[in-house]
Amino acid sequence: MGEIHEFEKEKLIVGVIYHDPEYLRLALEALTSEFGEVEDISPEYSFSKGYSEYYDPELGGEGLRRIYSFRETVDPARQAEIKGITNLIERRLSVEGMRKINLDPGFINRGRLLLATTKEASFRIPLSDGIYTEITLFYARGRWNKLPWTYMDYQSEVVQDFLKVVRNKYLRDRQGGKGKRGRRRGRKVISNSEK
């Protein structure tokens, strides 16, 4: 019989879609209050123009996307709890029942990216309290790899370059600063000190 061990802590990321920078500021205040300091921020890109205008009516205009990674690692067993927290932040910042920000937490370890969601699908695994998880990307042969259900923006070079930086920092921190740093391939990743 196999021995039961605690899960290794993983890197928390939160994908954010917003239109109004004030709601982004308020959401970031709430996120850092819950999860600590932001470590890295992806380049901003238009979710509406590049992928989908689905969120535009609720947000009140063009949906802009950024992904934030947090310095402190978290127990992946907290996925449902953390998705519940981000849903609560979304509700608190809603106006007349319309979300002004969309928050999607994810968890990176050496080999995969998990995303937590409230939406059921055949490839998603139920966690608790109406929250599911899915493997969105897996890491093999030196790069992130998609699955049939991987969101289009998570297949993009800009997102995968950012996630590679986050993964490399996670590995380096786990090895006490001795891990590989990874190349950035010309894509700028904004560090917390450049905010």
Side-chain angles (χ1 to χ4, degrees):
M1 179 173 65
E3 240 183 277
I4 295 174
H5 299 280
E6 289 186 2
F7 295 132
E8 284 186 8
K9 290 187 174 182
E10 300 186 5
K11 203 71 162 167
L12 173 65
I13 64 166
V14 177
V16 178
I17 303 175
Y18 68 100
H19 174 70
D20 185 333
E22 179 61 11
Y23 287 104
L24 174 64
R25 184 187 69 77
L26 293 169
L28 284 174
E29 282 181 5
L31 289 169
T32 55
S33 174
E34 289 285 346
F35 307 121
E37 185 181 356
V38 168
E39 184 169 47
D40 287 302
I41 309 168
S42 76
E44 182 180 83
Y45 58 93
S46 173
F47 189 80
S48 302
K49 292 178 181 172
Y51 303 99
S52 173
E53 296 176 355
Y54 174 82
Y55 296 102
D56 292 7
E58 254 192 319
L59 297 176
E62 177 187 4
L64 302 172
R65 165 79 98 177
R66 281 190 171 184
I67 302 173
Y68 294 81
S69 72
F70 292 81
R71 187 170 305 281
E72 294 301 315
T73 54
V74 297
D75 184 340
R78 294 183 61 205
Q79 285 181 76
E81 173 200 347
I82 289 171
K83 181 63 175 172
I85 291 168
T86 61
N87 283 354
L88 183 59
I89 294 168
E90 288 180 359
R91 280 195 296 278
R92 285 182 182 157
L93 297 178
S94 293
V95 176
E96 297 177 358
M98 303 281 274
R99 281 187 303 175
K100 295 301 169 185
I101 196 149
N102 181 69
L103 303 172
D104 293 315
F107 306 83
I108 290 177
N109 71 8
R110 72 190 75 201
R112 51 133 176 86
L113 164 66
L114 299 174
L115 288 181
T117 180
T118 58
K119 300 176 185 81
E120 194 275 337
S122 61
F123 51 85
R124 292 182 175 145
I125 300 163
L127 297 173
S128 65
D129 303 316
I131 305 299
Y132 300 84
T133 191
E134 69 173 49
I135 298 177
T136 299
L137 295 166
F138 68 96
Y139 198 88
R141 297 189 176 117
R143 65 184 186 90
W144 289 106
N145 296 272
K146 68 179 182 176
L147 293 155
W149 51 81
T150 302
Y151 295 110
M152 292 301 294
D153 61 328
Y154 279 84
Q155 297 179 41
S156 71
E157 186 177 354
V158 67
V159 171
Q160 291 196 6
D161 282 351
F162 173 72
L163 296 178
K164 192 168 184 180
V165 168
V166 174
R167 177 184 178 273
N168 287 341
K169 285 189 177 181
Y170 169 77
L171 292 177
R172 187 187 68 225
D173 291 348
R174 285 192 45 73
Q175 296 172 1
K178 296 177 185 173
K180 295 180 182 177
R181 291 189 176 261
R183 293 172 294 166
R184 296 188 184 197
R185 295 187 179 177
R187 298 279 184 186
K188 180 165 177 64
V189 174
I190 303 168
S191 72
N192 193 35
S193 60
E194 295 177 278
K195 284 195 294 185

